[in-house]
Amino acid sequence: MSSADLAQSIGRELPYLRRYARALTGSQRAGDNYAAATLEAILSDRSILLEEDDTRIGLFRTFHAIWQSSGQPIDETDRTARERRAQDHLRGLTANSREALLLRTIEELRFDQIGRVMQIDEAEAEELVGIALAEMSASLRGKVMVIEDEMIIAMDLKGIVQAMGHEVTGVARTHSAAIELAGQQRPDLILADIQLADGSSGIDAVNELLRDMGDIPVIFITAFPERLLTGERPEPAFLISKPYNEEQVRSAVSQAMFFASTEGLDAA
């Protein structure tokens, strides 16, 4: 593969590596630092990527080698209290389980691909995913608001969240309805589409809610993920593409609640 072809291939996969890194660290800053370190490692030794015939797997495997060797986010300065609590919680999880879960549910890798990324066998990768789901689902319970204009999808999301033991405060189909609903009961987590019923924006609704209510974790579930993976503004740690599956939603909700860990949440 030529240098130009390799650069183009990496460029296609980089937004998804950044998405994964942010979800893993709970921080856009820390996640982007890991992604940058991954690119620096490849630039200094191109052969580490060429050992793998799948650029995506090679990129993620290089990232994991750096992640495993460091053990903590690269940038420890100006960490928020929530990010510090999140890292404290992470230390209590079974080693490597959350990495495997994210690769499976958010990045949709097969178990054999996860094994190649993490340098473990396929059976161990599958076992780690099961362990992470159990540990994170049991960690916290909270209140979830859904911003989604398609009612079939909204009801499906509501059912998934309630089956996990969380309370759904309601469903909003527009920007104004989301503001009104949140004013009635402050959510601990928001699930949001970005294109709403009256042409209004779920992104604008979320931004207004965060300005008014402070630091609430958000999971965007959208058919237009590229609108949120531009690198030009703050990006969500949790982003699920439509069509989604239940495993993806359960994983993201568990992790977002896990990272939130505010006084408003109740231990399970």
Side-chain angles (χ1 to χ4, degrees):
M1 182 183 296
S2 69
S3 295
D5 289 340
L6 181 61
Q8 186 175 32
S9 182
I10 291 174
R12 285 195 300 268
E13 300 299 340
L14 186 58
Y16 304 103
L17 181 70
R18 293 179 61 237
R19 173 176 68 178
Y20 169 72
R22 289 195 305 278
L24 184 61
T25 62
S27 162
Q28 180 175 338
R29 181 188 61 250
D32 283 351
N33 283 339
Y34 269 105
T38 300
L39 294 180
E40 289 172 5
I42 292 169
L43 287 173
S44 65
D45 183 5
R46 179 177 167 181
S47 67
I48 63 176
L49 191 59
L50 296 179
E51 292 171 0
E52 176 62 58
D53 58 6
D54 185 323
T55 300
R56 186 183 193 193
I57 300 302
L59 190 63
F60 276 69
R61 188 174 69 181
T62 304
F63 172 96
H64 263 274
I66 296 169
W67 170 258
Q68 291 294 334
S69 66
S70 67
Q72 292 290 334
I74 292 171
D75 182 2
E76 293 286 346
T77 61
D78 300 323
R79 295 273 297 281
T80 67
R82 185 160 68 88
E83 289 168 2
R84 288 193 295 270
R85 287 196 299 270
Q87 290 302 320
D88 289 340
H89 284 309
L90 285 174
R91 294 185 185 97
L93 289 180
T94 298
N96 298 321
S97 63
R98 190 162 173 271
E99 293 89 332
L101 177 65
L102 280 168
L103 290 169
R104 174 61 178 166
T105 58
I106 303 301
E107 301 308 323
E108 300 185 82
L109 298 188
R110 302 187 309 269
F111 290 121
D112 65 302
Q113 292 174 317
I114 295 170
R116 283 154 59 192
V117 168
M118 298 180 65
Q119 299 293 283
I120 57 178
D121 63 42
E122 182 176 347
E124 184 178 354
E126 186 170 3
E127 181 181 8
L128 286 171
V129 170
I131 290 171
L133 282 170
E135 291 180 348
M136 299 193 80
S137 295
S139 61
L140 295 166
R141 297 290 181 264
K143 300 178 179 65
V144 181
M145 183 174 77
V146 177
I147 305 175
E148 170 60 63
D149 64 328
E150 296 184 38
M151 291 310 296
I152 292 177
I153 294 177
M155 291 302 101
D156 184 50
L157 293 173
K158 180 178 179 180
I160 293 171
V161 169
Q162 288 178 327
M164 296 176 68
H166 303 297
E167 175 187 346
V168 176
T169 63
V171 174
R173 301 184 66 241
T174 64
H175 179 151
S176 59
I179 303 305
E180 181 180 355
L181 178 60
Q184 296 169 2
Q185 189 173 24
R186 186 186 190 279
D188 299 308
L189 171 67
I190 300 170
L191 303 185
D193 194 359
I194 65 174
Q195 189 167 295
L196 304 179
D198 60 354
S200 60
S201 166
I203 298 173
D204 291 343
V206 165
N207 286 337
E208 184 173 341
L209 290 172
L210 296 183
R211 283 196 303 268
D212 293 344
M213 297 187 170
D215 195 12
I216 300 173
V218 179
I219 301 170
F220 281 101
I221 304 177
T222 176
F224 308 100
E226 65 279 0
R227 296 186 187 179
L228 292 166
L229 293 173
T230 63
E232 297 174 355
R233 59 185 172 188
E235 298 169 325
F238 301 101
L239 175 60
I240 299 174
S241 302
K242 291 180 178 177
Y244 60 84
N245 60 55
E246 180 175 345
E247 186 180 31
Q248 288 176 307
V249 176
R250 289 176 62 89
S251 168
V253 168
S254 292
Q255 291 172 80
M257 285 293 191
F258 185 85
F259 272 119
S261 187
T262 64
E263 293 180 1
L265 296 178
D266 300 318

